[in-house]
Amino acid sequence: MAAPPQLRALLLAVNTLLRKRRYHAALAMVKGFRNGAVLQEKLWAILQATYTHSRNLACFVFTYKGLCALQSRVQGKTYQFHSFLAAFIGGMLVFGDNNNINSQISMYLLSRVLFALCRLGVEKGYIPEPKRDLFPVFTAVVWGLVLWLFEYHRPTLQPSLQSSMTYLYDDSNVWHDISDFLIYNKSRPSK
């Protein structure tokens, strides 16, 4: 069944507009926004990653608590280094494989640990108390660095981050008509 003439005319006009170089930068912003909002294609991968993440955390907690209890029992009381040693061993056993899930978890924890160590440094007097909230500066530096690395030193970034950023920033620069501008990220192969 053919589309009505008015719809064909509208699609032709929209597709003509999408091909004009003059509007490319503004349209790339719109498509980038669209790519950031679309998650359906990644749903299965997210579910698998969530399962692996949950399983690893469960195994880690079991190992950590068991090793803490064992150390406390052997030494007759609990010491601060018990938690570090139990987590060190558990981390090696459960999260020691260099894969995407373990890498993501470790990078997430690293950022939290660095924040906590800075706060501990302030609390102990090793670092002066900031006069104002430094979060806006922190986040601006992080975003500035990640986009600089993506644009000029892409291979240094973790593959999943490269893939996400390619989808958001590179793929949003390319379209042929309304179908791969709004509906699909890339042109569908012809049948």
Side-chain angles (χ1 to χ4, degrees):
M1 183 159 120
Q6 298 90 343
L7 181 58
R8 284 195 310 256
L10 176 63
L11 287 175
L12 180 64
V14 169
N15 288 338
T16 301
L17 175 82
L18 291 172
R19 290 186 186 104
K20 290 189 184 271
R21 295 295 310 161
R22 187 165 95 189
Y23 303 116
H24 191 270
L27 292 169
M29 291 168 52
V30 172
K31 185 168 182 193
F33 180 84
R34 173 249 178 236
N35 283 3
V38 175
L39 288 176
Q40 183 179 3
E41 299 167 10
K42 301 188 185 271
L43 187 58
W44 181 245
I46 290 168
L47 290 174
Q48 285 182 308
T50 301
Y51 168 75
T52 303
H53 180 215
S54 298
R55 185 195 65 220
N56 287 0
L57 284 175
C59 291
F60 177 81
V61 170
F62 180 83
T63 303
Y64 171 77
K65 287 192 162 285
L67 290 172
C68 281
L70 178 65
Q71 292 176 94
S72 180
R73 181 149 176 98
V74 167
Q75 294 194 309
K77 66 185 244 181
T78 301
Y79 296 97
Q80 284 191 26
F81 74 87
H82 288 171
S83 64
F84 176 83
L85 186 57
F88 180 89
I89 293 168
M92 186 71 75
L93 293 173
V94 177
F95 295 106
D97 290 336
N98 188 359
N99 60 48
N100 290 341
I101 303 301
N102 292 346
S103 181
Q104 288 288 339
I105 292 169
S106 294
M107 286 188 290
Y108 170 81
L109 288 176
L110 175 62
S111 65
R112 299 302 175 115
V113 165
L114 291 174
F115 261 86
L117 288 173
C118 288
R119 288 183 180 132
L120 184 61
V122 169
E123 184 182 296
K124 298 287 185 183
Y126 304 131
I127 299 172
E129 178 85 39
K131 303 269 189 267
R132 61 186 175 96
D133 182 13
L134 296 178
F135 185 80
V137 174
F138 160 77
T139 198
V141 169
V142 168
W143 280 99
L145 287 172
V146 77
L147 266 298
W148 170 72
L149 288 167
F150 176 72
E151 296 289 355
Y152 298 102
H153 304 281
R154 194 170 296 193
T156 64
L157 295 173
Q158 183 196 31
S160 66
L161 180 58
Q162 285 181 49
S163 176
S164 295
M165 295 185 85
T166 296
Y167 180 75
L168 292 169
Y169 300 104
D170 288 349
D171 292 357
S172 61
N173 286 329
V174 179
W175 61 86
H176 302 90
D177 56 34
I178 195 162
S179 70
D180 63 353
F181 181 74
L182 283 181
I183 301 167
Y184 305 107
N185 184 45
K186 295 187 177 180
S187 291
R188 296 286 220 187
S190 301
K191 292 184 181 179

